[in-house]
Amino acid sequence: MKDTRFSSLFWNRFRRNSLAVAGGILVLLLFVVAAFAPLLSPYNPDDIDSRHVLDPPGIDHPLGTDDLGRDVLSRMIWGSRISLAVGFVAVGIATLIGMILGAVSGYYGGWTDRIIMRSIDIMLAIPTFFLILAVIAFVGSGIGNIMAVIGLTSWMGVARLVRAEFLSLKGREFVLAAKALGARDLRIIFRHIMINSMAPVLVSAVLGVAGAVLVESALSFLGLGVQPPTPSWGNILTLGKDNIEIAWWLSVFPGVAILITVLAYNLLGEGIRDSIDPRLWSHERR
Amino acid sequence: MPTYLMKRLVEIVPTLFGITLISFFIIHLAPGKPTDIFTELNPKITPEARERLEKYYGLDKPVPVQYWMWLKRVAKLDFGESFSPDRRPVIQKIWDGKRPLIERRLFVTFMINVLSLIIILAFAIPIGISSATRRNSLYDKVMTTTVFVGFATPSFWLALLLMILFGAHLHWLPISQLKSMNFDSLSLAGKIWDLSKHLVLPIFVSAFTGLAGDSRFMRSSMLEVIGQDYVTVARAKGLSERLVIYRHAFRNALLPIITLIGLSIGGLVGGSVIFENIFGIPGMGQLFYMSVMTRDYPTVMGILTIGAVLTLLGNLLADIGYMLADPRIRTR
């Protein structure tokens, strides 16, 4: 007999999507690199070596050295921690805000709904990167501020998604049954409805990490993100721009790292989306 | 339809109010004052002189009062005077009516964005449609992968790579600014050639990164249309696949393009801070970056507000465009 549980249907489909699996493996790999950064990096990322300034890639320094003689590979390995942390914390903040506002909006409706929907419209009409830039420039850079700002400016998608799920689920029999049994609002919201809307939220969160990684690297590149000497992929690229005529390796490698990371999260997210949507299961044999 | 449009138009007002309120408070409640910069640059400024400056700019008043003053001025389309040493009115800084077109920031950003939008649409539509009609074919897979890579490419990194290749190594193209030093002495054809050489990389970069998202968007729009009943009906009555795709599906799949164009109107003025910064292009993005870095409050607020107005107008225009193009929505 065929196993028709959701998890096995999901897994069956996901497994056959080789791009999604590749994305998942890359994401796992990134976690490993970030977790074992001290063991994996050949040099101390902050060690300055005046005899090896701007060395091209070679045996001693596989990805070359920067303008202070620091090992680029080691700095990139440590930099993976920044992009991982920013991605997850920023998306965590955004997802939490989005889920709460979306749930309240969809479940209660009426005035609360109208006010929340209007705030979403307002946030969507502000040019986001401009706002982030302005806030960081005025409030100050630093990893905490970056996470907070990215999180606070990217919750709108999740809120809309969760609200839509609540609107479609709150009239269903299982919710009415819970209500008839006297369950409190909070229990209905979290135990009965939210749990059913987790799949699209997960997809949007995974894709959101990709976006957050890109924004962080752009901010760091502009000098408004993670401040040196703390290594981040974006601020190594800034050195690449400053030494554009002589040190191509400072521009090439960190960019490849950003590209692979963002690609991995996007492939994973899209893969989950395709495998999660039961409406697509029927097209399977095309 | 007119009532719906009126409703949308009326809704813009509170939305705009909310946007300026949020932006204003975030910017003005941040620690530090723009006068800090004057004092940093010129340590000889006495506390009294500083106080006079703060009074002059109205910075001694509470933030809500400042916001009210700002709002009253903006109602008359006056965004105030820039805090930067040139002290020019913000509106003049943005519009720059007296200069030749090519030296106006708004025009430069507008031109780059329009050109790249045209390129994006010229490629995204055929790519999206052909991927959708050949779903899961090798072509679709190659295109999907390419699009994903494009999507994941940071625009500033692509810009850097191209600058290294075409500028630093091959010396084919200039790597920054909008025009050469001798621009004014060139003939008209020479001027156009010079501009084009400077614009190739910025426009390519901005088109490439936009292309990924938009062709994906086209693909899913086409996939959705292909799944509709009327397409099945067209097939069922024995039409050739060509006719089904190009007569029945294609035109409907094009509708979301209206949304795409509407959404990009907001970006026309914003431009890209990042690549204008990299290529040293004197556009709106660069102005915003400089204003933010020097804490030029009035200019920052001016650009944010104008950007928001254009975004809202773009959304509205997209709605109107939809109504004009799609009878199903018109009758609603």
Side-chain angles (χ1 to χ4, degrees):
Chain A
M1 233 183 86
K2 209 178 159 209
D3 190 354
T4 53
R5 272 176 310 169
F6 179 78
S7 58
S8 73
L9 279 174
F10 169 78
W11 180 241
N12 264 330
R13 211 182 139 77
F14 185 81
R15 210 173 42 183
R16 270 184 285 151
N17 184 343
S18 47
L19 285 175
V21 173
I25 291 172
L26 280 173
V27 168
L28 277 181
L29 218 67
L30 277 165
F31 271 94
V32 172
V33 168
F36 296 102
L39 295 175
L40 290 170
S41 52
Y43 294 86
N44 180 329
D46 298 326
D47 271 356
I48 293 172
D49 185 350
S50 54
R51 285 162 306 149
H52 293 281
V53 168
L54 291 177
D55 272 6
I59 297 164
D60 285 347
H61 299 278
L63 303 185
T65 62
D66 68 7
D67 58 341
L68 296 174
R70 295 172 296 192
D71 181 53
V72 172
L73 175 63
S74 307
R75 290 187 71 72
M76 278 176 55
I77 290 174
W78 282 82
S80 71
R81 290 189 161 187
I82 299 283
S83 88
L84 201 71
V86 171
F88 276 82
V89 177
V91 167
I93 295 172
T95 309
L96 198 70
I97 298 175
M99 272 167 58
I100 293 173
L101 291 182
V104 169
S105 189
Y107 189 77
Y108 292 106
W111 271 105
T112 357
D113 182 37
R114 241 178 272 171
I115 290 171
I116 292 174
M117 287 311 283
R118 180 49 44 82
S119 339
I120 291 177
D121 288 344
I122 289 174
M123 288 301 292
L124 285 175
I126 303 180
T128 313
F129 191 73
F130 275 39
L131 187 68
I132 293 177
L133 204 69
V135 173
I136 293 292
F138 283 76
V139 179
S141 49
I143 187 162
N145 286 346
I146 292 170
M147 292 167 172
V149 170
I150 298 178
L152 289 172
T153 49
S154 53
W155 50 268
M156 294 81 77
V158 183
R160 280 190 161 171
L161 219 106
V162 172
R163 175 177 177 269
E165 292 288 327
F166 267 72
L167 285 180
S168 87
L169 292 176
K170 75 175 177 188
R172 297 276 181 87
E173 288 81 356
F174 68 92
V175 177
L176 298 179
K179 263 192 190 150
L181 288 172
R184 279 171 298 126
D185 278 0
L186 271 182
R187 189 180 164 84
I188 295 175
I189 289 177
F190 287 105
R191 281 300 296 267
H192 296 283
I193 308 185
M194 192 67 93
I195 207 88
N196 277 300
S197 61
M198 284 319 286
V201 171
L202 176 71
V203 172
S204 112
V206 175
L207 296 176
V209 174
V213 168
L214 272 178
V215 173
E216 183 274 320
S217 65
L219 283 174
S220 296
F221 177 74
L222 286 174
L224 287 166
V226 177
Q227 297 298 311
T230 309
S232 92
W233 297 339
N235 68 30
I236 304 175
L237 281 173
T238 314
L239 297 178
K241 191 197 170 209
D242 295 343
N243 299 291
I244 190 163
E245 305 270 352
I246 38 179
W248 57 268
W249 54 94
L250 289 175
S251 296
V252 172
F253 300 122
V256 173
I258 299 171
L259 178 99
I260 291 177
T261 307
V262 174
L263 190 64
Y265 284 115
N266 278 339
L267 289 175
L268 180 65
E270 293 274 339
I272 297 175
R273 189 211 302 272
D274 283 352
S275 321
I276 247 169
D277 190 349
R279 279 171 302 174
L280 290 172
W281 286 343
S282 56
H283 293 291
E284 220 157 321
R285 254 161 230 112
R286 268 192 140 187
Chain B
M1 183 168 92
T3 37
Y4 172 74
L5 279 185
M6 275 310 289
K7 217 180 115 202
R8 284 295 314 269
L9 214 57
V10 171
E11 268 176 8
I12 283 188
V13 178
T15 310
L16 202 59
F17 179 75
I19 294 168
T20 57
L21 190 79
I22 293 175
S23 316
F24 197 92
F25 276 78
I26 288 176
I27 289 166
H28 287 256
L29 287 176
K33 286 203 166 122
T35 40
D36 290 350
I37 295 218
F38 297 138
T39 26
E40 264 166 41
L41 292 175
N42 186 356
K44 274 189 230 148
I45 286 185
T46 56
E48 294 82 50
R50 198 184 142 141
E51 219 164 87
R52 230 181 308 125
L53 270 174
E54 279 173 12
K55 202 161 222 141
Y56 177 77
Y57 288 122
L59 295 170
D60 52 342
K61 302 196 176 62
V63 177
V65 177
Q66 285 184 49
Y67 177 66
W68 179 240
M69 285 163 56
W70 181 85
L71 209 59
K72 276 201 294 197
R73 271 189 284 119
V74 169
K76 290 179 278 176
L77 282 182
D78 172 15
F79 285 95
E81 230 171 55
S82 165
F83 281 2
S84 67
D86 63 15
R87 295 266 174 95
R88 290 166 65 203
V90 170
I91 203 83
Q92 212 186 82
K93 259 186 130 144
I94 295 170
W95 186 244
D96 246 348
K98 288 196 191 72
R99 295 209 193 178
L101 267 185
I102 203 66
E103 284 174 24
R104 298 188 199 168
R105 289 183 183 277
L106 199 60
F107 178 78
V108 168
T109 301
F110 188 80
M111 173 179 66
I112 293 179
N113 279 296
V114 168
L115 288 174
S116 71
L117 185 66
I118 292 172
I119 295 175
I120 289 174
L121 291 180
F123 284 92
I125 296 174
I127 291 177
I129 301 282
S130 48
S131 303
T133 50
R134 277 177 257 171
R135 190 178 181 197
N136 291 339
S137 67
L138 181 67
Y139 173 82
D140 181 30
K141 279 186 179 142
V142 169
M143 275 306 164
T144 303
T145 317
T146 317
V147 158
F148 268 110
V149 173
F151 217 50
T153 310
S155 57
F156 59 96
W157 179 60
L158 184 65
L160 264 184
L161 292 187
L162 294 173
M163 281 160 78
I164 292 179
L165 182 63
F166 292 108
H169 284 264
L170 297 170
H171 295 288
W172 287 357
L173 294 169
I175 55 173
S176 81
Q177 301 300 326
L178 192 59
K179 45 191 189 173
S180 308
M181 300 287 258
N182 61 351
F183 185 79
D184 290 328
S185 63
L186 295 171
S187 64
L188 183 66
K191 278 181 180 167
I192 293 174
W193 176 240
D194 188 59
L195 267 181
S196 321
K197 275 200 301 188
H198 284 83
L199 283 174
V200 170
L201 291 186
I203 290 178
F204 178 81
V205 170
S206 113
F208 183 82
T209 37
L211 185 60
D214 289 4
S215 58
R216 194 80 193 150
F217 188 71
M218 253 336 278
R219 179 182 181 269
S220 49
S221 157
M222 188 68 180
L223 277 180
E224 203 181 309
V225 170
I226 289 178
Q228 295 288 323
D229 288 343
Y230 59 83
V231 173
T232 317
V233 168
R235 283 207 178 104
K237 69 180 184 185
L239 290 185
S240 71
E241 189 64 18
R242 265 190 90 77
L243 252 143
V244 172
I245 298 295
Y246 290 101
R247 176 73 58 77
H248 293 263
F250 181 65
R251 286 166 55 187
N252 284 299
L254 278 183
L255 285 172
I257 291 283
I258 298 170
T259 315
L260 274 190
I261 296 176
L263 287 181
S264 53
I265 288 180
L268 289 182
V269 94
S272 166
V273 182
I274 305 174
F275 75 70
E276 284 188 7
N277 189 37
I278 296 183
F279 288 112
I281 292 169
M284 295 296 294
Q286 195 194 47
L287 178 64
F288 187 77
Y289 180 74
M290 287 176 352
S291 315
V292 152
M293 295 312 272
T294 53
R295 293 189 158 236
D296 186 351
Y297 291 14
T299 311
V300 170
M301 276 308 293
I303 297 176
L304 278 175
T305 309
I306 292 174
V309 170
L310 284 174
T311 310
L312 292 172
L313 281 181
N315 293 348
L316 189 69
L317 282 178
D319 278 0
I320 296 174
Y322 243 99
M323 282 186 180
L324 294 177
D326 192 343
R328 286 170 300 185
I329 295 177
R330 215 180 305 153
T331 50
R332 227 182 261 166

